[in-house]
Amino acid sequence: MRYALPLLMLLAACAHDPQLLQWDADFYYTEKLYIDGQHDLAVARYKALVQEAKDPRDADEAGLMACEVDARRHKFREAATCYEALASDGRDRGVRIRALMHASELRYYELNQQQDALNMWVVICRVAPDEAASQRALDHLYKHGQVDAVARESMERLFEKLYDRDPGGELADNFLLRGAMLREEEGTPDGLARAVVLLEKLEANYPEAQTLPDGWVLHTKILHKQGKLAEEAVLLERVIETFETSHIFASYALEAHKDAASRLVDLYRGPLKNLERAELHARHLPEMLHHPVKIYAYLWTVAEIQEERGHPSDALATYQEIVQTDIEKRDDMAENDKRICDEAETAEMKDRCFADLAAHPPIEPKEVPLAKAKIAELQEKLRNAPRSTP
């Protein structure tokens, strides 16, 4: 405890350092000049702030903004040179990598110097795999590979080389995934087979990698193209299993979860002929997606499968669920509409609000009248069904 008071005094002194406060004020004022379009003045002030900064990171951030001003006023060559100088001479590693990324993007997208940009992205992946910019560099390399067949083949070889250079590195699993993605897009039997090799290596060598679920999703697409439907279903089931973790810890479902469940429903209703599994996944969809807009369509699919399985009582209950869901949604909407109208500023505005609501009743989803007809049909069927004798 004897160190607490001196420490607090030191922190208080730093917090009220006039030079620090003045530098921050000048930085934000210069930012306003930049936003206001006073670019020449902004550049001059940012360069002055580089010299005045006590913190090396502050100096680099001011230098980064000086380069940004040139980029925003379309002086792309000057901006790229500025960024590269900061990438070379900056004192903060994170800012140096960001500067190199900005320079590379200008070289690629504005100055038509693609090879220079590609080389910069490779450098970022090699020297700073732990920086967020490395994922952005990977995205750029991958997109370059999508341009044409020559670029794709070049990037496929590059990802292989980067992986072989550092199979234990932070981006190793990403190199495998990106290479597989390009080969899947190639679409040839040989390309698909080579993509599978990379994805199997990803699963075998990096079982805890965050890229693994994306690898599974890609693998299912390949299996579908190859006509290996049973293997596709097994892998789709594994994708679904990852929903449980994401739902428990983050209360969300990825688009991949929905797509996997929908595809499993189609597979099990169709070529794989397993209606029990089809119903399970069809029922899981609305729960997974937290009662989405398409809830009526999802429930309708559940009811259809239940009828296909020869379970009319279950189907009847699901059709009734469709109708009840619509009633509950209408009640919620009516309550919300009434609250909005009640908050109107004048009695005249309130009356006009309620009149507008009366003139525009909610539209009934198409599944609701169909479900009502099915309810009547199934109730009649169940009434007339022969009773089993004990």
Side-chain angles (χ1 to χ4, degrees), residues 6-65:
L7 178 60
L8 288 174
M9 293 175 66
L10 176 62
L11 292 174
C14 292
H16 294 90
D17 186 323
Q19 287 183 295
L20 291 176
L21 292 175
Q22 184 60 51
W23 191 94
D24 287 339
D26 289 346
F27 185 90
Y28 290 119
Y29 178 72
T30 305
E31 188 175 28
K32 290 180 181 179
L33 293 175
Y34 159 58
I35 294 171
D36 193 45
Q38 300 185 53
H39 293 147
D40 290 336
L41 182 56
V43 168
R45 290 180 64 90
Y46 278 130
K47 289 180 177 179
L49 286 167
V50 171
Q51 302 302 318
E52 297 167 7
K54 287 187 174 181
D55 187 324
R57 183 179 178 84
D58 285 343
D60 288 346
E61 289 287 354
L64 197 67
M65 287 303 300

Coordinates of all heavy atoms in Angstrom, one line a residue, residues 6-65:
P6 N 2.2 7.4 -4.3 CA 3.1 7.9 -5.3 C 2.6 7.6 -6.7 O 2.8 8.4 -7.6 CB 4.4 7.3 -5.0 CG 4.4 7.0 -3.5 CD 2.9 6.6 -3.3
L7 N 2.1 6.4 -6.8 CA 1.6 5.9 -8.2 C 0.4 6.8 -8.6 O 0.4 7.2 -9.8 CB 1.2 4.5 -8.1 CG 0.6 3.9 -9.4 CD1 1.6 3.9 -10.5 CD2 0.2 2.4 -9.2
L8 N -0.5 7.1 -7.7 CA -1.7 7.9 -8.1 C -1.2 9.3 -8.4 O -1.7 9.9 -9.4 CB -2.6 7.9 -6.9 CG -3.4 6.7 -6.6 CD1 -4.2 6.8 -5.3 CD2 -4.4 6.4 -7.8
M9 N -0.2 9.8 -7.7 CA 0.3 11.2 -8.0 C 1.0 11.2 -9.4 O 0.8 12.2 -10.1 CB 1.3 11.6 -6.9 CG 0.7 11.8 -5.5 SD 1.9 12.2 -4.3 CE 2.5 13.7 -4.8
L10 N 1.7 10.1 -9.7 CA 2.3 10.0 -11.0 C 1.3 10.0 -12.1 O 1.4 10.7 -13.1 CB 3.2 8.8 -11.1 CG 3.9 8.5 -12.4 CD1 4.8 9.7 -12.8 CD2 4.7 7.2 -12.4
L11 N 0.2 9.2 -11.9 CA -0.8 9.1 -12.9 C -1.5 10.4 -13.1 O -1.9 10.8 -14.2 CB -1.8 8.0 -12.5 CG -1.3 6.5 -12.6 CD1 -2.4 5.6 -12.0 CD2 -1.0 6.2 -14.0
A12 N -1.8 11.1 -12.0 CA -2.4 12.4 -12.0 C -1.6 13.4 -12.8 O -2.1 14.2 -13.6 CB -2.7 12.9 -10.6
A13 N -0.3 13.3 -12.6 CA 0.6 14.3 -13.2 C 0.6 14.0 -14.7 O 0.6 15.0 -15.5 CB 2.0 14.1 -12.7
C14 N 0.6 12.7 -15.1 CA 0.6 12.4 -16.6 C -0.7 12.8 -17.2 O -0.7 13.3 -18.3 CB 0.8 10.9 -16.8 SG 2.5 10.3 -16.3
A15 N -1.8 12.6 -16.5 CA -3.1 13.0 -17.0 C -3.2 14.4 -17.3 O -4.0 14.9 -18.1 CB -4.2 12.5 -16.0
H16 N -2.5 15.2 -16.5 CA -2.6 16.7 -16.6 C -1.4 17.3 -17.3 O -1.2 18.5 -17.1 CB -2.9 17.3 -15.3 CG -4.3 16.9 -14.7 ND1 -4.4 15.8 -13.9 CD2 -5.5 17.5 -14.8 CE1 -5.7 15.7 -13.6 NE2 -6.4 16.6 -14.1
D17 N -0.5 16.5 -17.9 CA 0.6 17.1 -18.6 C 0.2 18.0 -19.7 O -0.5 17.6 -20.6 CB 1.5 15.9 -19.2 CG 2.8 16.4 -19.8 OD1 2.8 17.5 -20.3 OD2 3.8 15.7 -19.6
P18 N 0.5 19.3 -19.5 CA 0.0 20.3 -20.5 C 0.5 20.0 -21.9 O -0.3 20.2 -22.9 CB 0.6 21.6 -20.0 CG 0.9 21.4 -18.6 CD 1.3 19.9 -18.5
Q19 N 1.7 19.4 -22.1 CA 2.2 19.1 -23.4 C 1.4 18.0 -24.1 O 1.0 18.1 -25.3 CB 3.6 18.8 -23.4 CG 4.6 20.0 -23.1 CD 6.0 19.5 -23.1 OE1 6.5 18.8 -22.3 NE2 6.8 20.1 -24.1
L20 N 1.0 17.0 -23.2 CA 0.2 15.9 -23.8 C -1.1 16.4 -24.2 O -1.7 16.0 -25.2 CB 0.1 14.7 -22.7 CG 1.4 14.0 -22.5 CD1 1.2 12.9 -21.4 CD2 1.9 13.3 -23.7
L21 N -1.8 17.1 -23.3 CA -3.1 17.6 -23.6 C -3.1 18.5 -24.8 O -4.0 18.5 -25.6 CB -3.6 18.4 -22.4 CG -3.9 17.6 -21.1 CD1 -4.3 18.5 -20.0 CD2 -5.0 16.6 -21.4
Q22 N -2.1 19.4 -25.0 CA -2.0 20.2 -26.1 C -1.8 19.4 -27.4 O -2.4 19.8 -28.4 CB -0.8 21.2 -25.9 CG -0.7 22.3 -27.0 CD -2.0 23.1 -27.1 OE1 -2.5 23.7 -26.2 NE2 -2.6 23.2 -28.3
W23 N -1.0 18.4 -27.3 CA -0.7 17.6 -28.5 C -2.1 16.9 -29.0 O -2.4 16.9 -30.2 CB 0.3 16.5 -28.2 CG 0.8 15.8 -29.5 CD1 1.9 16.1 -30.2 CD2 0.2 14.7 -30.1 NE1 2.0 15.3 -31.3 CE2 1.0 14.4 -31.3 CE3 -0.9 13.9 -29.9 CZ2 0.7 13.3 -32.1 CZ3 -1.2 12.8 -30.7 CH2 -0.4 12.6 -31.9
D24 N -2.8 16.3 -28.0 CA -4.1 15.7 -28.3 C -5.0 16.7 -29.0 O -5.7 16.4 -29.9 CB -4.7 15.1 -27.1 CG -4.0 13.8 -26.6 OD1 -3.3 13.2 -27.5 OD2 -4.1 13.5 -25.5
A25 N -5.1 17.9 -28.4 CA -6.0 18.9 -28.9 C -5.6 19.3 -30.3 O -6.5 19.5 -31.2 CB -6.0 20.1 -28.0
D26 N -4.3 19.4 -30.6 CA -3.8 19.8 -31.9 C -4.1 18.7 -32.9 O -4.5 18.9 -34.1 CB -2.3 20.0 -31.9 CG -2.0 21.3 -31.2 OD1 -2.9 22.2 -31.0 OD2 -0.8 21.5 -30.9
F27 N -4.0 17.4 -32.5 CA -4.3 16.3 -33.3 C -5.8 16.3 -33.8 O -6.1 16.1 -35.0 CB -3.9 15.0 -32.6 CG -4.1 13.7 -33.5 CD1 -3.0 13.3 -34.2 CD2 -5.3 13.1 -33.6 CE1 -3.2 12.2 -35.0 CE2 -5.4 11.9 -34.4 CZ -4.4 11.5 -35.1
Y28 N -6.7 16.5 -32.8 CA -8.1 16.4 -33.1 C -8.5 17.7 -33.9 O -9.4 17.6 -34.8 CB -8.9 16.3 -31.8 CG -8.8 15.0 -31.2 CD1 -8.3 14.8 -29.9 CD2 -9.2 13.8 -31.9 CE1 -8.1 13.6 -29.3 CE2 -9.0 12.5 -31.3 CZ -8.5 12.4 -30.0 OH -8.4 11.2 -29.5
Y29 N -7.9 18.8 -33.7 CA -8.1 20.0 -34.5 C -7.7 19.8 -35.9 O -8.4 20.1 -36.9 CB -7.4 21.2 -33.9 CG -7.6 22.5 -34.7 CD1 -8.9 23.1 -34.7 CD2 -6.6 23.0 -35.5 CE1 -9.1 24.2 -35.5 CE2 -6.8 24.1 -36.3 CZ -8.0 24.7 -36.3 OH -8.2 25.9 -37.0
T30 N -6.5 19.1 -36.1 CA -6.0 18.8 -37.4 C -6.9 17.9 -38.2 O -7.2 18.0 -39.4 CB -4.6 18.3 -37.3 OG1 -3.8 19.2 -36.6 CG2 -4.0 18.0 -38.7
E31 N -7.5 16.9 -37.4 CA -8.4 16.0 -38.0 C -9.7 16.7 -38.5 O -10.2 16.4 -39.6 CB -8.9 14.9 -37.0 CG -9.7 13.8 -37.5 CD -10.0 12.7 -36.5 OE1 -10.0 13.0 -35.3 OE2 -10.2 11.6 -36.9
K32 N -10.1 17.7 -37.8 CA -11.2 18.5 -38.3 C -10.9 19.3 -39.6 O -11.7 19.4 -40.5 CB -11.7 19.5 -37.2 CG -12.3 18.9 -36.0 CD -12.8 19.9 -35.0 CE -13.4 19.2 -33.8 NZ -13.8 20.2 -32.7
L33 N -9.7 19.8 -39.7 CA -9.2 20.5 -40.9 C -9.2 19.5 -42.1 O -9.7 19.8 -43.2 CB -7.8 21.0 -40.7 CG -7.6 22.2 -39.7 CD1 -6.1 22.5 -39.5 CD2 -8.4 23.4 -40.2
Y34 N -8.8 18.3 -41.8 CA -8.8 17.2 -42.8 C -10.2 16.9 -43.3 O -10.5 16.8 -44.5 CB -8.1 16.0 -42.2 CG -8.4 14.7 -42.9 CD1 -8.1 14.5 -44.3 CD2 -8.9 13.6 -42.2 CE1 -8.4 13.3 -44.9 CE2 -9.1 12.4 -42.8 CZ -8.9 12.2 -44.1 OH -9.1 11.0 -44.7
I35 N -11.1 16.7 -42.3 CA -12.5 16.4 -42.7 C -13.1 17.6 -43.5 O -13.9 17.4 -44.4 CB -13.3 16.1 -41.4 CG1 -12.8 14.8 -40.8 CG2 -14.8 16.0 -41.7 CD1 -13.3 14.5 -39.4
D36 N -12.7 18.8 -43.1 CA -13.3 20.0 -43.7 C -12.7 20.2 -45.1 O -13.1 21.1 -45.8 CB -13.0 21.2 -42.8 CG -13.7 22.4 -43.2 OD1 -14.9 22.3 -43.5 OD2 -13.1 23.5 -43.3
G37 N -11.7 19.4 -45.5 CA -11.1 19.6 -46.9 C -10.0 20.5 -47.0 O -9.5 20.8 -48.1
Q38 N -9.4 21.0 -45.8 CA -8.3 21.9 -45.9 C -7.0 21.0 -45.8 O -6.3 21.0 -44.8 CB -8.3 22.8 -44.7 CG -9.6 23.7 -44.7 CD -9.6 24.8 -43.6 OE1 -8.6 25.5 -43.4 NE2 -10.6 24.8 -42.8
H39 N -6.8 20.3 -46.9 CA -5.8 19.2 -47.0 C -4.4 19.7 -46.8 O -3.5 19.1 -46.1 CB -6.0 18.4 -48.3 CG -7.3 17.7 -48.3 ND1 -7.9 17.5 -49.5 CD2 -8.0 17.1 -47.3 CE1 -9.0 16.8 -49.2 NE2 -9.1 16.6 -47.9
D40 N -4.0 20.8 -47.5 CA -2.6 21.3 -47.4 C -2.3 21.6 -46.0 O -1.2 21.3 -45.5 CB -2.4 22.5 -48.3 CG -2.4 22.1 -49.8 OD1 -2.1 20.9 -50.1 OD2 -2.7 23.0 -50.6
L41 N -3.2 22.4 -45.3 CA -2.9 22.8 -43.9 C -2.9 21.5 -43.0 O -2.0 21.4 -42.1 CB -4.0 23.7 -43.5 CG -3.9 24.3 -42.1 CD1 -2.5 25.0 -41.9 CD2 -5.0 25.3 -41.8
A42 N -3.8 20.6 -43.3 CA -3.8 19.4 -42.5 C -2.5 18.6 -42.6 O -1.9 18.1 -41.6 CB -5.0 18.5 -42.9
V43 N -2.0 18.4 -43.8 CA -0.7 17.7 -44.0 C 0.4 18.4 -43.2 O 1.2 17.7 -42.5 CB -0.4 17.6 -45.5 CG1 1.1 17.1 -45.6 CG2 -1.3 16.6 -46.1
A44 N 0.5 19.7 -43.3 CA 1.6 20.4 -42.7 C 1.5 20.2 -41.1 O 2.5 20.1 -40.5 CB 1.5 21.9 -43.0
R45 N 0.3 20.3 -40.6 CA 0.1 20.2 -39.2 C 0.4 18.7 -38.7 O 1.0 18.5 -37.6 CB -1.3 20.6 -38.8 CG -1.6 22.1 -38.9 CD -3.0 22.4 -38.5 NE -3.2 22.1 -37.1 CZ -3.0 22.9 -36.0 NH1 -2.5 24.2 -36.3 NH2 -3.2 22.6 -34.8
Y46 N 0.0 17.7 -39.5 CA 0.3 16.4 -39.1 C 1.8 16.1 -39.1 O 2.3 15.5 -38.2 CB -0.4 15.4 -40.1 CG -1.8 15.1 -39.8 CD1 -2.8 15.2 -40.8 CD2 -2.2 14.7 -38.5 CE1 -4.1 14.9 -40.6 CE2 -3.6 14.4 -38.3 CZ -4.5 14.5 -39.3 OH -5.8 14.2 -39.0
K47 N 2.5 16.7 -40.0 CA 3.9 16.5 -40.1 C 4.6 17.2 -38.9 O 5.6 16.7 -38.3 CB 4.5 17.0 -41.4 CG 4.2 16.2 -42.6 CD 4.7 16.7 -43.9 CE 4.4 15.8 -45.0 NZ 4.9 16.3 -46.3
A48 N 4.0 18.3 -38.5 CA 4.5 19.0 -37.3 C 4.3 18.2 -36.0 O 5.1 18.1 -35.1 CB 3.9 20.4 -37.2
L49 N 3.1 17.6 -36.0 CA 2.7 16.7 -34.8 C 3.7 15.5 -34.7 O 3.9 15.0 -33.6 CB 1.3 16.3 -35.0 CG 0.2 17.4 -34.7 CD1 -1.1 16.9 -35.1 CD2 0.2 17.7 -33.2
V50 N 4.2 15.0 -35.8 CA 5.1 13.9 -35.8 C 6.4 14.3 -35.0 O 6.9 13.6 -34.2 CB 5.5 13.5 -37.2 CG1 6.7 12.5 -37.2 CG2 4.3 12.9 -38.0
Q51 N 6.8 15.5 -35.2 CA 8.0 16.0 -34.6 C 7.8 16.3 -33.1 O 8.7 16.2 -32.3 CB 8.6 17.3 -35.3 CG 8.9 17.1 -36.8 CD 9.9 16.0 -37.0 OE1 10.9 15.9 -36.3 NE2 9.7 15.1 -38.0
E52 N 6.6 16.7 -32.8 CA 6.3 17.2 -31.4 C 5.9 16.1 -30.5 O 5.8 16.2 -29.3 CB 5.2 18.2 -31.5 CG 5.5 19.5 -32.2 CD 4.3 20.4 -32.5 OE1 3.2 20.1 -32.0 OE2 4.5 21.4 -33.3
A53 N 5.5 14.9 -31.0 CA 5.0 13.8 -30.2 C 6.0 13.3 -29.3 O 7.2 13.1 -29.6 CB 4.4 12.7 -31.1
K54 N 5.6 13.0 -28.0 CA 6.5 12.4 -27.1 C 6.4 10.8 -27.2 O 7.4 10.2 -26.9 CB 6.1 12.7 -25.6 CG 6.4 14.2 -25.3 CD 6.1 14.4 -23.8 CE 6.6 15.8 -23.3 NZ 6.3 16.0 -21.9
D55 N 5.3 10.3 -27.5 CA 5.1 8.9 -27.7 C 5.3 8.5 -29.1 O 4.8 9.0 -30.0 CB 3.6 8.5 -27.3 CG 3.4 7.0 -27.2 OD1 4.0 6.3 -28.0 OD2 2.6 6.6 -26.4
P56 N 6.2 7.5 -29.3 CA 6.5 7.0 -30.7 C 5.3 6.6 -31.5 O 5.2 6.9 -32.7 CB 7.5 5.8 -30.5 CG 8.1 6.1 -29.2 CD 7.0 6.8 -28.3
R57 N 4.3 6.0 -30.8 CA 3.1 5.5 -31.5 C 2.3 6.8 -31.9 O 1.7 6.8 -33.0 CB 2.3 4.6 -30.6 CG 1.0 4.1 -31.3 CD 0.2 3.2 -30.4 NE -1.0 2.7 -31.1 CZ -1.1 1.7 -31.9 NH1 0.0 1.0 -32.2 NH2 -2.2 1.4 -32.5
D58 N 2.2 7.8 -31.1 CA 1.5 9.0 -31.4 C 2.2 9.6 -32.7 O 1.5 10.1 -33.6 CB 1.6 10.0 -30.3 CG 0.6 9.7 -29.2 OD1 -0.3 8.9 -29.4 OD2 0.8 10.2 -28.1
A59 N 3.5 9.6 -32.7 CA 4.2 10.2 -33.9 C 3.8 9.4 -35.1 O 3.6 10.0 -36.2 CB 5.7 10.1 -33.6
D60 N 3.8 8.1 -35.0 CA 3.5 7.2 -36.2 C 2.1 7.4 -36.6 O 1.8 7.4 -37.8 CB 3.8 5.8 -35.9 CG 5.3 5.5 -35.8 OD1 6.1 6.4 -36.2 OD2 5.6 4.4 -35.3
E61 N 1.1 7.6 -35.7 CA -0.3 7.8 -36.0 C -0.4 9.1 -36.8 O -1.2 9.2 -37.7 CB -1.1 7.8 -34.8 CG -1.3 6.4 -34.1 CD -2.2 5.5 -34.9 OE1 -2.8 5.9 -35.9 OE2 -2.3 4.3 -34.5
A62 N 0.3 10.1 -36.3 CA 0.2 11.4 -37.0 C 0.8 11.3 -38.4 O 0.2 11.8 -39.4 CB 0.9 12.5 -36.2
G63 N 1.9 10.5 -38.6 CA 2.5 10.3 -39.9 C 1.5 9.5 -40.8 O 1.4 9.8 -42.0
L64 N 0.8 8.6 -40.2 CA -0.1 7.8 -41.0 C -1.3 8.7 -41.5 O -1.7 8.5 -42.7 CB -0.7 6.7 -40.1 CG -1.4 5.5 -40.7 CD1 -0.5 4.7 -41.5 CD2 -2.1 4.7 -39.7
M65 N -1.7 9.6 -40.7 CA -2.8 10.5 -41.1 C -2.3 11.5 -42.2 O -3.1 11.8 -43.1 CB -3.3 11.3 -39.9 CG -4.2 10.5 -39.0 SD -5.6 9.7 -39.8 CE -6.5 11.2 -40.5

